[in-house]
Amino acid sequence: FIWLGELVDYDVRLWRLAARQDIVLATLADAAGLSLGGLPDDAKTGYLQEQGMMVSLQSNEDILLTMLVNGRIDLMPADRVSFLARLRRDSLDPANFVPALALPAVSRPLYLAINRGADPDLVARLAAAFSPTARPESLKSQ
């Protein structure tokens, strides 16, 4: 593969309702006994399960968010950018949700790669698009 550039900083956290001030986590072990939701065959869920957490598996994050809003789960893992985008899409107030705990073990930048056999002109255009000087200022800090 040819690595073209960073797409997004994948910053995974466990999210809770802001109203659930009784949920205070200093470590993942503090989540023992709480209900967590996750996706099957997902790195976030796999990590939680490897750490001994019981995770209620659902088919998509929309269901998990509905369960969180309705108090059917206490916590759900999600990347910060995608979680906030989902809240905006669903017209939910981001102030009603807070990160309960960062999960650095599954947080890292995501990159775009292309097959080494790809058209060289396409590779050059994509590489130019990922050049720091080509990116809008609003994207450089994300």
Side-chain angles (χ1 to χ4, degrees):
F1 288 101
I2 299 170
W3 295 95
L4 295 169
E6 184 177 322
L7 288 174
V8 66
D9 184 27
Y10 193 65
D11 180 14
V12 178
R13 297 153 185 235
L14 285 176
W15 294 86
R16 68 169 173 84
L17 294 175
R20 290 293 311 272
Q21 295 180 16
D22 59 307
I23 298 175
V24 178
L25 307 178
T27 68
L28 186 55
D30 295 334
L34 296 173
S35 58
L36 285 76
L39 304 174
D41 302 318
D42 179 76
K44 300 178 297 293
T45 300
Y47 171 74
L48 293 171
Q49 292 171 328
E50 288 168 6
Q51 302 308 306
M53 298 291 117
M54 296 296 297
V55 181
S56 171
L57 300 178
Q58 302 301 320
S59 60
N60 64 62
E61 286 188 343
D62 291 330
I63 293 171
L64 290 174
L65 182 56
T66 298
M67 291 176 72
L68 184 65
V69 167
N70 292 322
R72 294 185 53 216
I73 58 173
D74 299 314
L75 300 161
M76 71 173 278
D79 164 64
R80 184 184 60 81
V81 172
S82 62
F83 186 76
L84 295 174
R86 181 169 280 106
L87 296 179
R88 282 190 303 274
R89 183 200 67 197
D90 293 348
S91 300
L92 295 170
D93 185 356
N96 292 330
F97 304 86
V98 296
L101 184 70
L103 297 177
V106 288
S107 298
R108 57 190 45 97
L110 300 179
Y111 291 83
L112 178 64
I114 191 166
N115 186 299
R116 287 194 176 277
D119 175 13
D121 289 333
L122 175 61
V123 173
R125 287 195 316 272
L126 288 170
F130 276 94
S131 160
T133 58
R135 296 179 77 190
E137 195 61 37
S138 63
L139 296 178
K140 290 178 185 173
S141 63
Q142 293 185 2

